[in-house]
Amino acid sequence: MYNRILVPTDGSELSDKALEAAADFAKALGSSIVIITVIEPYSYTNLSEYRPESIDQYDSRVKEMAQERLEIARELVEKKDINCEVVAFKSFSPIIDAANEYNCDLIFMASHGRQGFAAVLLGSETQKVLTHSKIPVMVYR
């Protein structure tokens, strides 16, 4: 039914639970998983503000954090004996693009990631995916 399942993770408790549920789902179907995490590009919107780190420092820090998230996610999925790939995307909204690029036929994601003011400003990523995806989306709550 589903051969490649895309599972985004932000390292939150809910996305970890969604990843675990996706792994169980994939195991039952004999599917593989593509795990992605997002590296948000450096924000240039307020260049006049004091910046405690340079662009290079920011890039290095967020890439390291992304790799740590992906390794934790990989371990969780591989201990269930499921084939997986891990990918870090540098984008504000990469989930649908990643699903297309990696030929996924299902997106399995947590019901929310960002909370509070950030969610209001950036909008719900889950809502964007539900609205624009051409492949099925399973939302874990």
Side-chain angles (χ1 to χ4, degrees):
M1 178 175 226
Y2 300 113
N3 296 314
R4 289 176 63 87
I5 301 171
L6 182 84
V7 185
T9 183
D10 63 3
S12 69
E13 183 178 341
L14 183 59
S15 72
D16 288 348
K17 287 180 180 179
L19 180 61
E20 191 162 348
D24 291 338
F25 187 70
K27 186 158 184 93
L29 296 175
S31 305
S32 65
I33 291 180
V34 176
I35 305 167
I36 69 162
T37 195
V38 177
I39 300 172
E40 290 191 19
Y42 190 80
S43 175
Y44 294 97
T45 57
N46 296 316
L47 287 177
S48 63
E49 283 185 17
Y50 169 73
R51 299 285 182 179
E53 62 187 350
S54 70
I55 294 171
D56 290 338
Q57 290 170 326
Y58 173 82
D59 282 345
S60 177
R61 180 176 58 82
V62 295
K63 284 178 185 174
E64 185 177 319
M65 289 170 42
Q67 289 307 315
E68 289 172 8
R69 275 194 307 267
L70 289 172
E71 283 310 309
I72 291 168
R74 180 196 306 270
E75 287 175 16
L76 188 149
V77 170
E78 286 182 346
K79 79 177 179 185
K80 293 183 180 256
D81 211 20
I82 298 166
N83 291 331
C84 74
E85 285 182 68
V86 294
V87 182
F89 270 85
K90 189 173 185 179
S91 174
F92 285 110
S93 186
I95 295 171
I96 294 172
D97 291 341
N100 291 331
E101 185 175 330
Y102 287 87
N103 298 315
C104 296
D105 43 19
L106 175 70
I107 299 170
F108 193 114
M109 63 190 302
S111 61
H112 65 279
R114 292 185 182 96
Q115 297 179 359
F117 193 60
V120 171
L121 287 177
L122 299 170
S124 166
E125 190 64 28
T126 305
Q127 187 63 40
K128 290 177 193 173
V129 172
L130 285 168
T131 305
H132 295 93
S133 178
K134 302 225 184 309
I135 64 172
V137 179
M138 185 172 291
V139 179
Y140 179 83
R141 294 186 60 116

